[in-house]
Amino acid sequence: MSEQQQPRQAQQGPRRKRGRRRPAGSRGGDLWRQPPPLDEAKPIVPANDPAAVVRSLGTPPLQGHGALVDYYLATVVERAAGVAAALAATADLLGEPEDEEPASAPQFGTTPANHDP
């Protein structure tokens, strides 16, 4: 450092931050006030395919790792959706889908109607 620069720094001293000062009469909100009551909690309906949004964005632009990243992102999103559903169930807020008809899953222990014994 040159000799000319050292005296300038010594003369300047510590720099002060120039922030806005609040007027003397104004204060923030009352921290200890009673909060307003919460709204009624609505049921939480888990998504059928939580990773659909991530897949709709396309493959991440990582050269050579796109398929692997797709898999890991989908896994994380599905895990987060599962944890959210579990939390909703513990709070008694887990709901059922209303608009969609349930998928016709095979029933165990029943025989198909067109099955000949």
Coordinates of all heavy atoms in Angstrom, one line a residue, residues 43-102:
P43 N -60.1 -29.5 5.3 CA -59.4 -30.8 5.0 C -58.3 -30.7 4.0 O -58.5 -29.9 3.0 CB -60.5 -31.7 4.6 CG -61.8 -31.0 5.0 CD -61.5 -29.5 5.0
I44 N -57.3 -31.4 4.1 CA -56.2 -31.5 3.2 C -56.3 -32.8 2.4 O -56.3 -33.9 3.0 CB -54.8 -31.4 3.9 CG1 -54.7 -30.1 4.7 CG2 -53.7 -31.6 3.0 CD1 -53.6 -30.0 5.6
V45 N -56.3 -32.6 1.1 CA -56.5 -33.8 0.2 C -55.2 -34.0 -0.5 O -54.6 -33.2 -1.2 CB -57.6 -33.5 -0.8 CG1 -57.7 -34.7 -1.7 CG2 -58.9 -33.2 -0.2
P46 N -54.5 -35.2 -0.2 CA -53.3 -35.5 -0.9 C -53.4 -35.6 -2.4 O -54.5 -36.0 -2.9 CB -52.8 -36.9 -0.3 CG -53.8 -37.1 0.8 CD -55.0 -36.3 0.6
A47 N -52.4 -35.2 -3.1 CA -52.4 -35.3 -4.6 C -52.2 -36.7 -5.0 O -51.5 -37.5 -4.4 CB -51.3 -34.4 -5.2
N48 N -52.9 -37.1 -6.1 CA -52.7 -38.4 -6.7 C -51.3 -38.6 -7.2 O -50.7 -39.7 -7.1 CB -53.7 -38.6 -7.8 CG -55.1 -38.8 -7.3 OD1 -55.3 -39.1 -6.1 ND2 -56.1 -38.5 -8.1
D49 N -50.7 -37.6 -7.8 CA -49.4 -37.6 -8.4 C -48.6 -36.4 -8.0 O -48.6 -35.4 -8.8 CB -49.5 -37.8 -9.9 CG -48.1 -38.0 -10.6 OD1 -47.1 -38.2 -9.8 OD2 -48.0 -37.9 -11.8
P50 N -48.0 -36.3 -6.9 CA -47.4 -35.1 -6.4 C -46.2 -34.6 -7.3 O -45.9 -33.4 -7.3 CB -46.9 -35.4 -5.0 CG -47.1 -36.9 -4.8 CD -47.9 -37.4 -5.9
A51 N -45.6 -35.5 -8.0 CA -44.4 -35.1 -8.8 C -44.8 -34.6 -10.2 O -44.0 -34.3 -11.0 CB -43.5 -36.3 -9.0
A52 N -46.1 -34.5 -10.5 CA -46.6 -34.1 -11.8 C -46.1 -32.7 -12.1 O -45.7 -32.4 -13.3 CB -48.1 -34.2 -11.9
V53 N -46.1 -31.8 -11.2 CA -45.7 -30.4 -11.4 C -44.2 -30.4 -11.8 O -43.7 -29.7 -12.7 CB -45.9 -29.5 -10.2 CG1 -45.3 -28.1 -10.4 CG2 -47.4 -29.4 -9.9
V54 N -43.4 -31.2 -11.0 CA -41.9 -31.2 -11.3 C -41.7 -31.8 -12.7 O -40.9 -31.3 -13.5 CB -41.2 -32.0 -10.2 CG1 -39.7 -32.2 -10.6 CG2 -41.4 -31.4 -8.9
R55 N -42.4 -32.8 -13.1 CA -42.2 -33.4 -14.4 C -42.7 -32.5 -15.5 O -42.1 -32.5 -16.6 CB -43.0 -34.8 -14.5 CG -42.2 -35.9 -13.9 CD -42.8 -37.2 -14.3 NE -44.3 -37.3 -14.2 CZ -44.9 -37.6 -13.0 NH1 -44.2 -37.9 -11.9 NH2 -46.2 -37.6 -13.0
S56 N -43.7 -31.7 -15.2 CA -44.2 -30.8 -16.2 C -43.2 -29.7 -16.6 O -43.3 -29.1 -17.7 CB -45.5 -30.1 -15.8 OG -45.3 -29.1 -14.8
L57 N -42.2 -29.4 -15.7 CA -41.2 -28.4 -16.0 C -40.1 -29.0 -17.0 O -39.3 -28.2 -17.5 CB -40.5 -28.0 -14.7 CG -41.5 -27.3 -13.7 CD1 -40.8 -27.0 -12.4 CD2 -42.0 -26.0 -14.3
G58 N -40.1 -30.3 -17.2 CA -39.1 -30.9 -18.1 C -37.9 -31.3 -17.3 O -37.8 -31.2 -16.1
T59 N -37.0 -31.9 -18.1 CA -35.7 -32.4 -17.5 C -34.8 -31.2 -17.1 O -34.7 -30.3 -17.9 CB -35.0 -33.2 -18.5 OG1 -35.9 -34.3 -18.9 CG2 -33.7 -33.8 -17.9
P60 N -34.3 -31.2 -15.9 CA -33.4 -30.1 -15.5 C -32.2 -30.1 -16.4 O -31.7 -31.1 -16.9 CB -32.9 -30.5 -14.1 CG -34.0 -31.5 -13.6 CD -34.5 -32.2 -14.8
P61 N -31.6 -28.9 -16.6 CA -30.5 -28.7 -17.6 C -29.2 -29.1 -17.0 O -28.3 -28.2 -16.8 CB -30.6 -27.2 -17.9 CG -31.2 -26.6 -16.7 CD -32.2 -27.6 -16.2
L62 N -29.0 -30.3 -16.6 CA -27.8 -30.8 -16.0 C -27.2 -31.8 -17.0 O -27.8 -32.9 -17.2 CB -27.9 -31.4 -14.7 CG -28.4 -30.5 -13.6 CD1 -28.8 -31.2 -12.3 CD2 -27.4 -29.4 -13.3
Q63 N -26.1 -31.5 -17.7 CA -25.6 -32.4 -18.7 C -25.2 -33.7 -18.1 O -24.4 -33.8 -17.2 CB -24.4 -31.7 -19.4 CG -24.8 -30.4 -20.1 CD -23.6 -29.7 -20.7 OE1 -22.4 -30.2 -20.5 NE2 -23.8 -28.6 -21.4
G64 N -25.8 -34.7 -18.8 CA -25.4 -36.1 -18.4 C -26.1 -36.7 -17.2 O -25.9 -37.8 -16.8
H65 N -26.8 -35.8 -16.5 CA -27.5 -36.3 -15.2 C -29.0 -36.1 -15.2 O -29.6 -36.2 -14.2 CB -26.9 -35.6 -14.0 CG -25.4 -35.8 -13.9 ND1 -24.9 -37.0 -13.5 CD2 -24.4 -35.0 -14.1 CE1 -23.5 -36.9 -13.4 NE2 -23.2 -35.7 -13.8
G66 N -29.6 -35.7 -16.3 CA -31.0 -35.4 -16.4 C -31.9 -36.4 -15.9 O -32.8 -36.1 -15.0
A67 N -31.8 -37.7 -16.3 CA -32.7 -38.7 -15.9 C -32.5 -39.0 -14.4 O -33.5 -39.3 -13.7 CB -32.4 -40.0 -16.7
L68 N -31.3 -39.0 -13.9 CA -31.1 -39.2 -12.5 C -31.6 -38.1 -11.6 O -32.3 -38.4 -10.6 CB -29.5 -39.4 -12.2 CG -29.1 -39.8 -10.9 CD1 -29.7 -41.2 -10.6 CD2 -27.6 -39.9 -10.8
V69 N -31.5 -36.9 -12.1 CA -32.0 -35.8 -11.3 C -33.6 -35.8 -11.3 O -34.2 -35.5 -10.3 CB -31.5 -34.4 -11.9 CG1 -32.2 -33.2 -11.3 CG2 -30.0 -34.3 -11.7
D70 N -34.2 -36.2 -12.5 CA -35.6 -36.4 -12.5 C -36.1 -37.3 -11.4 O -37.1 -37.1 -10.7 CB -36.1 -36.9 -13.9 CG -36.1 -35.8 -14.9 OD1 -36.2 -34.6 -14.6 OD2 -36.1 -36.2 -16.1
Y71 N -35.4 -38.4 -11.3 CA -35.8 -39.5 -10.4 C -35.6 -38.9 -8.9 O -36.6 -39.1 -8.1 CB -34.9 -40.7 -10.5 CG -35.0 -41.7 -9.4 CD1 -36.1 -42.5 -9.4 CD2 -34.0 -41.8 -8.4 CE1 -36.3 -43.4 -8.3 CE2 -34.2 -42.7 -7.4 CZ -35.3 -43.5 -7.4 OH -35.4 -44.4 -6.3
Y72 N -34.5 -38.3 -8.6 CA -34.3 -37.8 -7.3 C -35.3 -36.7 -6.9 O -35.8 -36.6 -5.8 CB -32.9 -37.3 -7.1 CG -31.9 -38.4 -6.9 CD1 -30.8 -38.5 -7.7 CD2 -32.1 -39.4 -5.9 CE1 -29.9 -39.6 -7.5 CE2 -31.2 -40.4 -5.7 CZ -30.1 -40.5 -6.5 OH -29.2 -41.5 -6.3
L73 N -35.6 -35.8 -7.8 CA -36.6 -34.7 -7.6 C -37.9 -35.3 -7.3 O -38.6 -34.9 -6.4 CB -36.6 -33.7 -8.7 CG -35.5 -32.7 -8.8 CD1 -35.6 -31.9 -10.1 CD2 -35.5 -31.8 -7.6
A74 N -38.3 -36.2 -8.1 CA -39.6 -36.9 -7.9 C -39.7 -37.6 -6.6 O -40.7 -37.5 -5.9 CB -39.9 -37.8 -9.1
T75 N -38.6 -38.2 -6.2 CA -38.6 -38.9 -4.9 C -38.7 -38.0 -3.8 O -39.5 -38.2 -2.8 CB -37.3 -39.7 -4.8 OG1 -37.2 -40.6 -5.9 CG2 -37.2 -40.5 -3.5
V76 N -38.0 -36.8 -3.8 CA -38.1 -35.9 -2.8 C -39.5 -35.3 -2.7 O -40.1 -35.1 -1.6 CB -37.1 -34.8 -3.0 CG1 -37.3 -33.6 -2.1 CG2 -35.7 -35.3 -2.8
V77 N -40.1 -34.9 -3.8 CA -41.5 -34.4 -3.8 C -42.5 -35.4 -3.3 O -43.3 -35.0 -2.5 CB -41.8 -33.9 -5.2 CG1 -43.3 -33.5 -5.3 CG2 -41.0 -32.7 -5.6
E78 N -42.4 -36.6 -3.7 CA -43.3 -37.6 -3.2 C -43.1 -37.9 -1.7 O -44.1 -38.1 -1.0 CB -43.1 -38.9 -4.0 CG -43.6 -38.8 -5.4 CD -43.2 -40.0 -6.3 OE1 -42.5 -40.9 -5.8 OE2 -43.5 -40.0 -7.5
R79 N -41.9 -37.8 -1.2 CA -41.7 -38.0 0.2 C -42.2 -36.8 1.0 O -42.9 -37.0 2.0 CB -40.2 -38.1 0.5 CG -39.8 -38.2 1.9 CD -40.2 -39.5 2.5 NE -39.8 -39.6 3.9 CZ -40.4 -40.3 4.8 NH1 -41.5 -40.9 4.5 NH2 -39.9 -40.3 6.0
A80 N -42.1 -35.6 0.5 CA -42.6 -34.4 1.2 C -44.1 -34.5 1.2 O -44.8 -34.1 2.2 CB -42.1 -33.2 0.5
A81 N -44.7 -35.0 0.1 CA -46.2 -35.1 0.1 C -46.7 -36.1 1.1 O -47.7 -36.0 1.7 CB -46.7 -35.5 -1.3
G82 N -45.9 -37.2 1.2 CA -46.3 -38.2 2.2 C -46.2 -37.7 3.6 O -47.0 -38.0 4.4
V83 N -45.1 -37.0 3.9 CA -45.0 -36.4 5.2 C -46.1 -35.4 5.5 O -46.7 -35.3 6.6 CB -43.6 -35.7 5.4 CG1 -43.5 -34.9 6.7 CG2 -42.5 -36.8 5.4
A84 N -46.5 -34.6 4.5 CA -47.6 -33.6 4.7 C -48.9 -34.3 4.9 O -49.7 -33.9 5.8 CB -47.7 -32.7 3.4
A85 N -49.1 -35.4 4.2 CA -50.3 -36.2 4.5 C -50.3 -36.8 5.8 O -51.4 -36.9 6.5 CB -50.5 -37.3 3.4
A86 N -49.2 -37.3 6.3 CA -49.1 -37.9 7.7 C -49.4 -36.8 8.7 O -50.1 -37.0 9.7 CB -47.7 -38.5 7.9
L87 N -48.8 -35.6 8.5 CA -49.1 -34.5 9.5 C -50.6 -34.1 9.4 O -51.2 -33.9 10.5 CB -48.2 -33.3 9.1 CG -46.8 -33.4 9.4 CD1 -46.0 -32.2 8.9 CD2 -46.6 -33.5 10.9
A88 N -51.2 -34.1 8.3 CA -52.6 -33.8 8.2 C -53.4 -34.9 8.9 O -54.4 -34.6 9.6 CB -53.0 -33.7 6.7
A89 N -53.0 -36.1 8.8 CA -53.7 -37.2 9.4 C -53.6 -37.1 11.0 O -54.6 -37.3 11.7 CB -53.2 -38.6 9.0
T90 N -52.4 -36.7 11.5 CA -52.3 -36.6 12.9 C -53.1 -35.4 13.5 O -53.5 -35.5 14.6 CB -50.8 -36.4 13.3 OG1 -50.3 -35.2 12.7 CG2 -50.0 -37.6 12.9
A91 N -53.4 -34.4 12.6 CA -54.2 -33.3 13.1 C -55.6 -33.5 12.7 O -56.4 -32.6 12.9 CB -53.7 -32.0 12.4
D92 N -56.0 -34.7 12.3 CA -57.4 -35.0 11.9 C -57.9 -34.1 10.8 O -59.1 -33.7 10.8 CB -58.3 -34.9 13.1 CG -59.1 -36.2 13.3 OD1 -58.9 -37.1 12.5 OD2 -60.0 -36.2 14.2
L93 N -57.0 -33.8 9.8 CA -57.4 -32.9 8.7 C -57.3 -33.6 7.4 O -57.4 -32.9 6.4 CB -56.5 -31.7 8.7 CG -56.7 -30.7 9.9 CD1 -55.7 -29.6 9.8 CD2 -58.1 -30.1 9.9
L94 N -57.1 -34.9 7.4 CA -56.9 -35.6 6.1 C -58.3 -35.7 5.4 O -59.2 -36.3 6.0 CB -56.3 -36.9 6.3 CG -55.7 -37.6 5.1 CD1 -54.7 -36.8 4.4 CD2 -55.1 -39.0 5.5
G95 N -58.4 -35.2 4.2 CA -59.7 -35.3 3.5 C -59.6 -36.3 2.4 O -58.6 -36.8 2.0
E96 N -60.8 -36.5 1.8 CA -60.9 -37.4 0.6 C -61.2 -36.5 -0.6 O -61.9 -35.5 -0.5 CB -62.1 -38.3 0.9 CG -61.9 -39.3 2.0 CD -60.8 -40.3 1.7 OE1 -60.7 -40.7 0.5 OE2 -60.1 -40.7 2.6
P97 N -60.7 -36.9 -1.8 CA -61.0 -36.2 -3.0 C -62.5 -36.2 -3.3 O -63.2 -37.3 -3.2 CB -60.2 -36.9 -4.1 CG -59.5 -38.0 -3.5 CD -59.9 -38.1 -2.0
E98 N -63.1 -35.0 -3.6 CA -64.5 -35.0 -3.9 C -64.8 -35.0 -5.3 O -65.8 -35.6 -5.8 CB -65.1 -33.7 -3.3 CG -65.0 -33.6 -1.8 CD -65.4 -32.3 -1.2 OE1 -65.9 -31.4 -2.0 OE2 -65.2 -32.1 0.0
D99 N -64.0 -34.3 -6.1 CA -64.4 -34.1 -7.5 C -64.1 -35.3 -8.4 O -64.7 -35.6 -9.4 CB -63.6 -32.9 -8.1 CG -64.0 -31.6 -7.4 OD1 -65.1 -31.5 -6.9 OD2 -63.2 -30.7 -7.4
E100 N -63.1 -36.1 -8.0 CA -62.6 -37.2 -8.8 C -63.3 -38.5 -8.3 O -63.5 -38.7 -7.1 CB -61.1 -37.3 -8.7 CG -60.4 -36.1 -9.2 CD -58.9 -36.3 -9.0 OE1 -58.4 -37.4 -8.7 OE2 -58.2 -35.2 -9.1
E101 N -63.6 -39.4 -9.3 CA -64.1 -40.7 -8.9 C -62.9 -41.5 -8.5 O -61.8 -41.4 -9.2 CB -64.8 -41.3 -10.1 CG -66.1 -40.6 -10.4 CD -66.8 -41.2 -11.5 OE1 -66.5 -42.4 -11.9 OE2 -67.7 -40.6 -12.1
P102 N -63.0 -42.4 -7.5 CA -61.9 -43.2 -7.2 C -61.5 -44.2 -8.3 O -62.4 -44.7 -9.0 CB -62.4 -44.0 -5.9 CG -63.8 -43.8 -5.9 CD -64.2 -42.6 -6.7

